Amino acid sequence: AQKITQTQPGMFVQEKEAVTLDCTYDTSDPSYGLFWYKQPSSGEMIFLIYQGSYDQQNATEGRYSLNFQKARKSANLVISASQLGDSAMYFCAMRDFGNEKLTFGTGTRLTIIP
Amino acid sequence: DADVTQTPRNRITKTGKRIMLECSQTKGHDRMYWYRQDPGLGLRLIYYSFDVKDINKGEISDGYSVSRQAQAKFSLSLESAIPNQTALYFCATSDLFQTNEQFFGPGTRLTVL
């Protein structure tokens, strides 16, 4: 069975600093995808970044990058130069290509301090 | 206009009432999903559908049913609502050939008294 673990329930970071949100996963499927979503206080789920298990390079999308360490089964999200608008809940999720379902972690609440 | 819409956005109901949450999408995706979000538990999959004739249970389907009326519409029903079904409900879609992202609707906040 798939499992996603986010061990940081909350984080406080100074504006303009970089922040790393931790995510570890467990699966027996060799083919899978890892996702990060942002959920602001308004409630919508915003897709940030995706990493495939066979991708050779770490995914990047603007200020977001995914630090993918396959042997450690970790997929940490790195946000560079944090902004006040980055304050939100962040969810890590995984999909095994065998069953096509997303499994979510419990989330990390990030607060950016001016 | 939003690609994935959910109605209603907010609903307060009483225990024992039948409730239907509706989801429509204009993305042309074949795959649709219903999730439930509870504080501290993240999102959990209730039901998913890969096409109109394909409906599958997720990890927490008890107390829920779904209907895929068309490729673009996927409804979630609570036949007899109970207070522990109070939650934020999300519909999502994805494409068969581009499954690197699920697109989420804005959510429906349901309160069962």
Side-chain angles (χ1 to χ4, degrees):
Chain A
Q2 307 169 62
K3 185 176 180 181
I4 293 283
T5 303
Q6 295 181 254
T7 58
Q8 306 154 308
M11 289 187 69
F12 291 84
V13 173
Q14 203 75 38
E15 188 180 9
K16 297 182 184 178
E17 290 185 352
V19 56
T20 297
L21 305 181
D22 295 340
C23 173
T24 58
Y25 60 92
D26 190 24
T27 179
S28 57
D29 196 320
S31 181
Y32 52 89
L34 295 156
F35 303 75
W36 277 92
Y37 283 85
K38 172 183 179 181
Q39 186 179 40
S41 58
S42 51
E44 72 269 30
M45 296 290 287
I46 302 168
F47 168 75
L48 295 178
I49 197 166
Y50 167 82
Q51 178 86 42
S53 59
Y54 295 118
D55 293 344
Q56 294 297 311
Q57 304 216 355
N58 287 346
T60 60
E61 290 286 348
R63 294 187 300 113
Y64 304 107
S65 61
L66 200 152
N67 184 2
F68 181 45
Q69 298 188 43
K70 196 170 183 177
R72 294 186 176 186
K73 292 189 175 180
S74 75
N76 298 340
L77 177 71
V78 180
I79 306 174
S80 63
S82 58
Q83 303 171 357
L84 296 179
D86 294 333
S87 293
M89 282 288 289
Y90 289 80
F91 291 96
C92 180
M94 178 176 68
R95 186 187 70 234
D96 280 349
F97 288 105
N99 61 33
E100 301 294 337
K101 297 181 292 183
L102 272 183
T103 299
F104 284 82
T106 54
T108 296
R109 181 170 297 281
L110 175 65
T111 303
I112 306 301
I113 305 167
Chain B
D1 289 341
D3 295 318
V4 184
T5 57
Q6 292 183 233
T7 55
R9 294 293 312 279
N10 289 281
R11 182 71 183 268
I12 300 173
T13 190
K14 294 182 178 180
T15 298
K17 294 290 188 180
R18 184 177 187 275
I19 294 296
M20 179 180 286
L21 309 183
E22 298 188 348
C23 176
S24 295
Q25 54 117 344
T26 59
K27 300 189 75 64
H29 289 169
D30 50 313
R31 300 179 172 201
M32 298 186 75
Y33 310 80
W34 275 105
Y35 292 91
R36 164 181 174 156
Q37 184 180 21
D38 297 278
L41 292 179
L43 278 74
R44 293 179 292 166
L45 184 63
I46 307 172
Y47 270 96
Y48 61 104
S49 169
F50 286 173
D51 65 39
V52 175
K53 297 180 181 179
D54 180 78
I55 302 289
N56 303 279
K57 292 183 178 181
E59 60 181 299
I60 53 163
S61 58
D62 288 349
Y64 301 95
S65 62
V66 291
S67 173
R68 185 84 183 264
Q69 303 95 321
Q71 188 201 34
K73 295 184 182 296
F74 193 36
S75 300
L76 176 72
S77 293
L78 289 68
E79 296 301 325
S80 180
I82 56 177
N84 77 0
Q85 291 177 313
T86 293
L88 183 57
Y89 290 84
F90 285 101
C91 174
T93 74
S94 68
D95 182 75
L96 172 64
F97 298 108
Q98 189 66 282
T99 53
N100 294 351
E101 180 178 349
Q102 285 192 6
F103 295 84
F104 283 79
T108 294
R109 189 167 296 280
L110 177 65
T111 303
V112 183
L113 301 175

